[in-house]
């Protein structure tokens, strides 16, 4: 489809990169922490302010801004109303006291890349096969509301709008009410037909840095087993109550946390595990805890290995409960299957990196990403830029500006290819 | 001092016991939980309502009501302005979702007993050697504000008013502000000269029930070693971060909680231990915890045994920190020495029980009580009535009304003896 008089590639200009820098700096100033990180929980006032800034930026550049029933924000550029969209994006929410790059980078890079491709296509007089859009998915982090990936899961239909909006934070506020509070609860889900989904993200690992690569093309993801486990004991006085009669829910939870780590250690590099959240009741100095609720996760490239670990851990929980006089319940269990990113898009990403002289390699992601939700049905590409020291969900999370720019240039070129040359990754004729 | 025409003993009448029942029922309705327990944290609105009811009751019966700078409420009956007071009481605050009896029983029994003795002395025309008073000590529980025993410790001078009032709850509210909010922050500490202190309390153990006793005369207390321990790790992503680089503060805390129990098990019945409170930051599902803070306590009748356990546990903490890549700090350490209750008062309690036909025995307390604060300087008696099943700090905490009445009768008789016949326990001539 490209005319013979124009080059076969489009990428971000210096002006585009400067626009990205300004937009990213603006983002870093909304929800800033004392140590230069970001605290911008989903549907908080800070998230609202960031959404406002994002929508204003899109509006000024002629995007059609739409908000769906779970607060996902789309910035659409429609060349042909009957064509589907090449969508790109990520999330603007953060973990508590976390970094400036996670999620935000993919949304802002996506906005700049879509604007750049749109402008350059119009300058060339070229009409793409597919439309373009950028998206900010709601509550990717799962920090304030559970589960994570709420926005993209609801878009994909694996979570209902009612389930999503009724999720409550620690203060009992529902996601629906929190979104309404900041003015981002739309009326319905949008029927945005998707041709492909591209997500640019910081690596949150150190492979790229260690190998001197600019870009990681994610080929597949790890599976994850997530359980919410509850121990019930008996509230009692920590002083006179004889040790033999105590039923201490926190002691049971402590044994479980130690056991989670021990299970992971059986599998070396093939398993990651954690307990990131623990709630204790009544959590009072002189009271034997009556209840402990912990979020356990095991991650592995192998689903059978996770299933076996889960069965073994269930038996361990029963043993702990018996030894501590408590009872346990697995209140919620979720198995996220591993997924494979789109082969054609991955190959196209490698080829485009080569053309742009960006050293790249294949990557794996252990973390969840909105791209994993989308990959269940649509051709999806997930692309990484380096994270200094692999540090993530931390105020000190860092990626150098030059690395951010390399990612924006790749995303711009890949968006161009994805909307103008679908044959290059969907298996049809190349343009 | 008693006249020959009147009996040598005074105890609560049926009308007094009915007044106690009414007052206790009133208390049980202020801060009631769904399961029939009590949730009345120090200086909360519920505590304020209970204090109002208590002060109204005292005022109607002619007590002089005084509130000191940390909210301790005294109800004074002054026969001779130059004489000291025989004080009795306990605390009206509760643990979260706890029982109706702990503390409250001692205050309300004390009020009824003082009123009964006062009325009967006036009916006899008898003037006691000492005055009488009932007291409600602020924040005995240490649930909302740390440390426990704030009111009685400040009265005794072992805690300053400034330290007490600046203690903050989990929401950052100071005790001083919380007391002002409910109208119970007085201007200064009161100089109430104390001749003796009597505290009636539920046992929170099962010795009396097991032995068929109505009254336990506490002879001595266990020592307690209380540490606030903090582990610092590094916030990171629970997915991609390699297990080997993680510095998980919650994992360290879990090992510590297991180790606290293991330390206690070395000493059989000579040590109780617990971790009642654990705080985790950021406590978010996909984040390796950066900080964990736990309240550790060891209790034992032997101070040297506690000291040795403390030293060993310090080494254990260092080992855990090294193994988990975390650092630890003992942010606060408190050793509460064991104390011995007053021999003369204990003997008098036994003799009085015999006269009233109340089966009694000697007891030990593992828990802290305001009586322990007072016993450091004043002749102090701590008296127990049975706790069903020993259950305490629990909504199901229970003592039968007949057992409560036996305690009120003993306290009334003992207050009479303590104010009219000081020679019987202070070593002088008997009256």
């Amino acid at each position: 489809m490209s005319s013979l008089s124009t080059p076969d590639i489009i990428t971000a200009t210096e002006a585009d990169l400067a626009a990205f820098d300004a937009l990213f700096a603006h983002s870093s100033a909304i929800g800033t922490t004392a140590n230069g990180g970001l605290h911008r929980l989903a549907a908080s006032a800070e998230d609202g302010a960031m959404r406002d800034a994002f929508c204003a930026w899109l509006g000024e550049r002629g995007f059609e801004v739409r908000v769906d029933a779970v607060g996902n924000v789309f910035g659409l550029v429609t060349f042909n109303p009957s064509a589907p969209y090449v969508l790109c994006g990520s999330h603007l929410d953060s973990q508590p006291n976390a970094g400036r790059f996670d999620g935000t980078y993919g949304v802002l890079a996506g906005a700049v890349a879509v604007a750049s491709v749109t402008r350059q296509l119009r300058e060339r007089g070229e009409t793409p096969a597919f439309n373009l859009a950028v998206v900010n998915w709601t509550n990717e982090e799962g920090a304030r509301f559970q589960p994570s990936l709420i926005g993209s899961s609801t878009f994909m239909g694996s979570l209902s709008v009612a389930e999503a909006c009724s999720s409550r934070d620690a203060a009992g506020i529902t996601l629906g009410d929190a979104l309404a509070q900041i003015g981002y609860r739309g009326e319905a889900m949008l029927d945005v037909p998707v041709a492909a989904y591209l997500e640019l993200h910081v690596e949150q690992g150190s492979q790229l840095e260690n190998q001197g690569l600019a870009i990681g093309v994610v080929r597949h993801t790890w599976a994850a087993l997530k359980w919410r486990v509850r121990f019930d004991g008996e509230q009692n006085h920590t002083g006179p109550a004889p040790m033999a009669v105590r039923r201490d829910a926190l002691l049971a939870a402590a044994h479980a946390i130690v056991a989670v780590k021990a299970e992971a250690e059986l599998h070396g590099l093939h398993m990651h595990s954690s307990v990131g959240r623990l709630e204790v009741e009544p959590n009072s100095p002189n009271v034997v805890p009556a209840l402990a609720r912990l979020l356990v996760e095991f991650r592995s490239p192998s689903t059978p290995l996770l299933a076996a670990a889960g069965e073994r851990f269930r038996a361990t929980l029963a043993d702990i409960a018996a030894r501590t006089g408590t009872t346990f319940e697995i209140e919620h269990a979720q198995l996220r299957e591993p997924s494979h990113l789109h082969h054609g898009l991955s190959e196209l990403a490698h080829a485009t990196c080569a053309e742009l002289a960006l050293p790249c390699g294949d990557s794996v992601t252990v973390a969840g990403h909105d791209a994993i939700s989308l990959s269940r049905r649509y051709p999806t590409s997930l692309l990484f830029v380096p994270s200094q020291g692999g540090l993530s969900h931390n105020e000190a999370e860092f990626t150098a500006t030059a690395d951010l720019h390399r990612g924006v240039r790749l995303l711009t070129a890949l968006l161009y290819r994805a909307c103008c040359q679908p044959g290059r990754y969907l298996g049809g004729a190349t343009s």
Side-chain angles (χ1 to χ4, degrees), chain A residues 17 28 65 71-72 124 132 168 184 215 245 251 287 311 321 330 336 347 370 372 397 404 428:
Chain A
L17 297 175
S28 297
V65 178
N72 295 320
R124 294 172 177 222
L132 291 170
R168 289 179 190 276
Y184 283 88
I215 300 291
V245 307
L251 177 64
V287 184
E311 279 316 298
I330 299 169
R336 192 166 66 211
E347 293 297 310
D370 293 308
I372 298 177
E397 174 187 79
L404 297 177

Side-chain angles (χ1 to χ4, degrees), chain A residues 175-252:
Chain A
L175 174 58
D177 287 347
L179 286 169
Q181 180 75 28
I182 61 169
Y184 283 88
R185 182 171 184 173
E187 300 207 341
M189 296 308 287
L190 300 181
D191 181 19
V192 179
V194 176
Y197 177 70
L198 308 180
E199 183 165 348
L200 187 59
H201 206 280
V202 291
E203 184 188 13
Q204 310 179 296
S206 51
Q207 182 210 341
L208 299 180
E209 188 179 59
N210 291 343
Q211 299 183 3
L213 300 175
I215 300 291
V217 177
V218 178
R219 293 288 191 164
H220 61 92
T221 72
W222 278 28
L225 183 66
K226 300 193 175 193
W227 282 4
R228 189 171 73 230
V229 176
R230 169 185 171 143
F231 284 102
D232 282 282
E234 183 179 55
Q235 196 167 320
N236 210 332
H237 196 303
T238 61
M243 295 302 285
V245 307
R246 297 190 186 190
R247 299 166 50 203
D248 185 336
L250 177 56
L251 177 64

Side-chain angles (χ1 to χ4, degrees), chain A residues 5 8 14 25 41 69 77 95 97 136 212 238 286 295-296 302 338 356 366 378:
Chain A
S5 62
D8 181 38
E14 288 303 317
L41 303 186
V77 178
Q95 287 282 343
N97 296 312
N136 165 42
T238 61
N286 295 314
L295 296 185
V296 173
S302 160
L356 296 174
V366 179
Y378 303 121

Side-chain angles (χ1 to χ4, degrees), chain A residues 4 84 110 181 190 202 232 267 275 279 379 392 427 431:
Chain A
L4 293 173
Q181 180 75 28
L190 300 181
V202 291
D232 282 282
H267 310 287
V275 177
E279 297 162 6
S392 173
S431 65

